[in-house]
Amino acid sequence: MLQPEADIHLDHLKHNYLAIKKMVGAAEVMAVIKANAYGHGAIPIAHVLSDMGVHGFCVALGSEAVELINAGIREPILHLGKITSDNFELYNSGQVHCTINSIEDLLELKENASANSPIFAHLKIDTGMGRMGVRFENAESIIQMLSETPEIRVEGVYSHFATAEENDTKYRDWQLDQFRKVIKLANSILPDIKYFHIANSAGILNCPDSHFNMVRPGISLYGISPLGKPHHSLNPVMKMKAPVVLVKKMNAGDSVGYSRLYTAEKDEKIALLQAGYADGIPTVFSNSGSVEIKGSQYPIIGKVSMDLIAINCGEDTIKEGDEAVFWGGEHENTRLEYLAIKYKKIPYEFLTGVSTRVARNLINE
């Protein structure tokens, strides 16, 4: 069937997980598989990591936790998002641990739990990200309140870096110092807390002091470094590709696609690929990007449309059915770290933008 496809290399996922485990030593790994495992497919990714011995999973939405539970996942699931009443059944199950982001969250949990059937939670402290989490100056008061609330079992305390991927580490190091102060407070008031975590993928890769006894890798699990260049220990899990569906001759002066962004300067041969922005190929590739076919690079010409993309074949023989790779191929130009820099995007956008009509092929070599 001629359609865009994403090869999901589960062997690369296993490799990346083991590489991360080696980096973090005894720290437990909570794999971040929100947003359909960054476009890779949450269920197969979760099952592979479960078989590898991962401690648990992080999700953004309650519905993502439900999806994992219905698929037979039994590891702990940390819901990173806002506490809502429609998720209390999940929290009461004991498998899904909620995040306390405010004193209001604490009070709402207290009303819906009991000392005999406590709700497991992680407390998030905002050490400088400026998003979710209790403000740093309120950390001591809420930890004290939690120590007096047997209805809530606080299993972990965490925070999130704002700049861990940047070369200038001053702000990151300041956040880390703030978090260390939180840990000291928590240990003095709630000594039974098991886990402290702040390291995302960037923290895992470039800040060993942030690993503590739990880490939350996201994009690094999928073989992409957030540090701006590929990491030698990581292999891309996704190969995004599309088939050639038509090869045709163009005469000098002929134009290609919407808005006639490309006009042939001489007689040439082009190929049409069955993929477009409806599949997650960004329109910034118009007249700018390239694809890899059999190890060679071919420029994208004209505008990326909803379902089709044109490339210039040059003098090479390209046939219908040939595989064109947008990212995750062998050529350096197909590495998302470099594509993100070229187009002033972040790698996450490419991965999470892959749509549901793209077939995911699970490959375990």
Side-chain angles (χ1 to χ4, degrees), residues 17 20-21 24 27-34 38 49 53-59 68 75-80 95-99 122 155-156 158 195-197 199-201 204 211 213-222:
Y17 173 76
I20 290 167
K21 281 293 292 180
V24 303
E28 299 285 7
V29 173
M30 289 291 281
V32 182
I33 58 171
K34 61 183 179 177
Y38 292 38
L49 293 174
V54 73
H55 179 81
F57 301 98
C58 296
V59 298
L68 294 178
E75 285 79 10
I77 300 169
L78 176 59
H79 176 212
L80 302 171
Q95 182 181 2
V96 180
H97 301 176
C98 62
T99 292
H122 286 227
E155 187 183 59
Y158 74 102
Y195 302 112
F196 297 96
H197 47 113
N200 52 6
S201 287
I204 290 168
H211 295 171
N213 61 356
M214 180 171 277
V215 296
R216 303 188 310 271
I219 200 165
S220 57
L221 279 171
Y222 311 110

Side-chain angles (χ1 to χ4, degrees), residues 273-335:
L273 313 178
Q274 190 68 65
Y277 59 76
D279 307 296
I281 307 303
T283 56
V284 291
F285 281 13
S286 301
N287 253 3
S288 175
S290 63
V291 298
E292 177 186 301
I293 299 177
K294 297 177 182 176
S296 297
Q297 290 282 297
Y298 298 91
I300 292 173
I301 56 175
K303 185 177 283 189
V304 172
S305 58
M306 184 179 291
D307 313 297
L308 292 168
I309 293 171
I311 62 170
N312 190 321
C313 301
E315 301 300 320
D316 296 345
T317 300
I318 292 177
K319 304 186 297 298
E320 291 182 13
D322 282 351
E323 175 183 288
V325 178
F326 296 97
W327 58 77
E330 298 300 321
H331 199 281
E332 187 176 83
N333 286 356
T334 68
R335 288 300 300 251

Side-chain angles (χ1 to χ4, degrees), residues 104-115:
E104 289 74 23
D105 285 347
L106 185 158
L107 297 176
E108 189 169 4
L109 288 175
K110 187 176 180 180
E111 290 180 4
N112 288 273
S114 67

Side-chain angles (χ1 to χ4, degrees), residues 199-210:
N200 52 6
S201 287
I204 290 168
L205 295 176
N206 70 3
C207 185
D209 287 345
S210 71

Side-chain angles (χ1 to χ4, degrees), residues 17-329:
Y17 173 76
L18 292 175
I20 290 167
K21 281 293 292 180
K22 186 176 181 180
M23 294 177 202
V24 303
E28 299 285 7
V29 173
M30 289 291 281
V32 182
I33 58 171
K34 61 183 179 177
N36 197 29
Y38 292 38
H40 293 72
I43 300 309
I45 296 295
H47 278 300
V48 168
L49 293 174
S50 176
D51 291 343
M52 295 292 289
V54 73
H55 179 81
F57 301 98
C58 296
V59 298
L61 306 176
S63 58
E64 293 174 327
V66 171
E67 181 184 17
L68 294 178
I69 292 169
N70 289 343
I73 296 301
R74 295 291 174 258
E75 285 79 10
I77 300 169
L78 176 59
H79 176 212
L80 302 171
K82 171 69 176 171
I83 290 172
T84 58
S85 58
D86 55 352
N87 284 327
F88 278 114
E89 186 176 345
L90 284 175
Y91 305 149
N92 287 322
S93 72
Q95 182 181 2
V96 180
H97 301 176
C98 62
T99 292
I100 297 172
N101 286 291
S102 65
I103 290 176
E104 289 74 23
D105 285 347
L106 185 158
L107 297 176
E108 189 169 4
L109 288 175
K110 187 176 180 180
E111 290 180 4
N112 288 273
S114 67
N116 293 327
S117 184
I119 287 177
F120 290 88
H122 286 227
L123 171 65
K124 184 172 187 179
I125 303 297
D126 181 5
T127 58
M129 182 69 169
R131 299 191 313 184
M132 302 290 277
V134 177
R135 289 183 62 86
F136 175 79
E137 60 264 30
N138 297 325
E140 183 173 3
S141 60
I142 196 168
I143 292 172
Q144 187 62 51
M145 290 176 67
L146 285 165
S147 73
E148 300 164 0
T149 310
E151 298 90 346
I152 303 172
R153 189 78 54 79
V154 183
E155 187 183 59
V157 175
Y158 74 102
S159 190
H160 195 59
F161 283 129
T163 63
E165 70 283 355
E166 297 179 7
N167 292 328
D168 184 346
T169 65
K170 184 177 180 180
Y171 193 78
R172 181 203 71 187
D173 295 342
W174 177 79
Q175 274 195 267
L176 191 55
D177 286 341
Q178 296 292 88
F179 190 56
R180 286 195 181 102
K181 294 173 185 175
V182 172
I183 293 174
K184 186 176 180 180
L185 272 175
N187 281 329
S188 65
I189 300 172
L190 277 173
D192 292 334
I193 291 177
K194 292 182 180 180
Y195 302 112
F196 297 96
H197 47 113
I198 191 173
N200 52 6
S201 287
I204 290 168
L205 295 176
N206 70 3
C207 185
D209 287 345
S210 71
H211 295 171
F212 298 104
N213 61 356
M214 180 171 277
V215 296
R216 303 188 310 271
I219 200 165
S220 57
L221 279 171
Y222 311 110
I224 309 300
S225 168
L227 305 181
K229 60 181 180 180
H231 193 280
H232 63 88
S233 296
L234 303 176
N235 295 330
V237 174
M238 179 190 291
K239 179 167 77 171
M240 180 66 182
K241 63 185 186 179
V244 173
V245 293
L246 183 66
V247 178
K248 62 190 299 185
K249 292 181 178 179
M250 302 292 285
N251 296 324
D254 287 348
S255 59
V256 176
Y258 290 113
S259 305
R260 304 183 67 225
L261 290 188
Y262 178 84
T263 300
E265 296 182 355
K266 60 181 181 179
D267 294 352
E268 57 191 41
K269 187 170 58 176
I270 70 168
L272 281 301
L273 313 178
Q274 190 68 65
Y277 59 76
D279 307 296
I281 307 303
T283 56
V284 291
F285 281 13
S286 301
N287 253 3
S288 175
S290 63
V291 298
E292 177 186 301
I293 299 177
K294 297 177 182 176
S296 297
Q297 290 282 297
Y298 298 91
I300 292 173
I301 56 175
K303 185 177 283 189
V304 172
S305 58
M306 184 179 291
D307 313 297
L308 292 168
I309 293 171
I311 62 170
N312 190 321
C313 301
E315 301 300 320
D316 296 345
T317 300
I318 292 177
K319 304 186 297 298
E320 291 182 13
D322 282 351
E323 175 183 288
V325 178
F326 296 97
W327 58 77

